[in-house]
Amino acid sequence: MAAKTTSNARREFRVMLVRLAFFWLWWPALIFVWWVFVSVFLPGVGPVHLGLWRWLDAWYFVGSGWRWQFLGVGAVGTVLIVAVWWANAGAPSTRLATPAAILVVVGITLAVVSLVQFVRAVWDNDKDLARFYGARTTFVVPDPAHPPTAVSVLINDNARGDGKRCDLLGPHGSDVATCIRRGTFSMAGFEPRVGSRDGAIAVMSASSGNIANVRLRVSTLTYLNATKGRPAAWSAIRDGSGIDTPMYGVVEWRGGSERPTQCHFSGKYRIDRAFDGERSNSLPNLLNDRFPRLIFSADDAWGYCAGAEPIVVLPVQRQIHYHARTVAVPAGVVLVRGSSNGGVRLEHRTDVRPGTLPGPVYPDSLVDAQRAAAQWAGGREVRDRRMFGFAPTSSPVQLGNVDDYLLRRVADGRLYWVTPVRPRASDSQQFVAYETVPADTVTDGQLNPLDIAVLADDDPRIVNLDQLVAAATDYIAAANPGLISSGAKLVEFLPVRDDIWQSYVEINGRVVYRLTMSYANRIPTELVALNTPGASTSPTAGRPGAGPGPSPAAGQPGTSPTTACAGPPTSLSDSQLATCIQTWANELAHRHPLTTAPSP
């Protein structure tokens, strides 16, 4: 009888172990079975994010607070199952009681540890993200001893830094890495553009492509500065969709009256995938199948024409474990090319040096994450109660194009993601700081530094965008009274240098003028017609007789040519170069008198 009781207890013990195994493993086993099915029967067609390594990363890293919660539930379930088995098993033998007792102790221990880890992960999850990104963020201020108002909350009994990268560390009581350095924002500024983003969209959408089911992918619109043998131009990808229409090609527009040019995925550059494709026509599915550990955002993609060959560049990321969560880091770029047989050629470059490619190689979506994390520089209380941080403008003139401008700095010729920012949680439209991240270089696993250059309270480069728009509107109305009445509007103000900004005048979706003006009236305002197809306008510039507008301050550019302009531009100072540009613009304006733009 005793032998039969022991046999039954052993059988019930084995049943209990089976139940425990099912309780713990059913969810990861189900995901694994689904991944096998997709990989074997639907290669390159199944849903995105189902690569095995992506699944393993998600299970072990992503949302690790939920991972600990799952372990805690499993541990509590173990204790309950063992307790029920114990009660139903009667008086088991000592040999069976020992492993059962071990399971109970292990279950209780796991439950307690999991609960602690879960609370820790949930409570500090957002701050851990800020800690990671904050380690590569630097606040640059003119004088840390007398900081600008916008960052004064960060100066509070700070510890000294290493004197190289950081003069001061974070404020007292903050447990988020913060670096404060003495310095000033570069006066040289950034190169102007040949045309506006809105103008590029209008011209490239209407004047390129002659095939159905193909559209300009606006999120890929990218400004490519001039390089040796390559003029400046806007570029964008014309993408296909559905199950049959692959990518069409890359469109480039050099501004002005020129028509867009295209390079096609055809002939020896054929391709059989599209970003918006479905099933076997889906490029994201193929990318996840080839590079399961990489993270892709189609909005980071851009393209250019290498002669007749279209090349798509896709900056990519990957996730790594950091404390009780995961964070995204750059992972280089993936180049997408066509081939004679229509198959996609993919090349993953983990590291890219400046000048290697004509556009950005550091993901714009990652820059957004870094900028958002800067709000934590003073800790949770300063972020939540005092609303520290910076935000892009909310002015309607920048609608849909408020941050992360890709600009090339004059001083070093490098590409940067640039965002003029105002105080967070404020109705002010004053740009009190500039956030910059290098865009033309990337190293696998390493964040590019985010510099937040905060202007002094009395810095003349602090610009109120609403006032700048009002001044520009008044100038245009005086210089060309018919322009405003014809429905013209200002779009896209971009910083050029000092307090000088560049904007564009748009009529019925077509950009016809480029406007360059100084917020403090340091140079004459320039209004130059772009000779866009369909616009009957002539070049003009701010000059005597062109209507009221800002007058040059003493010592600023005038209308008389100078002998310095005969030298090479690289030998001129900033003021001399500005003088020469204005002189040449005035001469061009005298040769082509202003005419009023016709009403539509």
Side-chain angles (χ1 to χ4, degrees), residues 420-470:
V421 288
R422 60 185 177 86
R424 174 174 167 247
S426 169
D427 57 0
S428 170
Q429 296 300 325
Q430 284 197 134
F431 290 136
V432 298
Y434 286 81
E435 298 175 336
T436 60
V437 177
D440 58 0
T441 183
V442 64
T443 301
D444 183 29
Q446 180 177 311
L447 295 173
N448 281 1
L450 165 64
D451 285 344
I452 303 177
V454 186
L455 303 178
D457 292 339
D458 59 351
D459 195 309
R461 291 173 296 175
I462 292 182
V463 170
N464 184 315
L465 188 59
D466 287 340
Q467 292 182 9
L468 188 66
V469 172

Side-chain angles (χ1 to χ4, degrees), residues 308-380:
E309 180 184 11
I311 299 177
V312 172
V313 182
L314 182 57
V316 295
Q317 305 171 51
R318 59 184 175 87
Q319 58 189 15
I320 63 172
H321 189 205
Y322 181 77
H323 290 186
R325 61 165 299 136
T326 56
V327 291
V329 295
V333 299
V334 172
L335 303 184
V336 182
R337 289 186 169 99
S339 63
S340 57
N341 63 3
V344 181
R345 291 186 295 150
L346 300 175
E347 177 189 354
H348 180 208
R349 297 183 183 178
T350 56
D351 302 328
V352 182
R353 301 276 69 84
T356 305
L357 294 170
V361 296
Y362 192 78
D364 185 22
S365 56
L366 189 55
V367 174
D368 291 339
Q370 290 180 251
R371 290 197 301 105
Q375 300 173 4
W376 289 88
R380 188 182 298 275

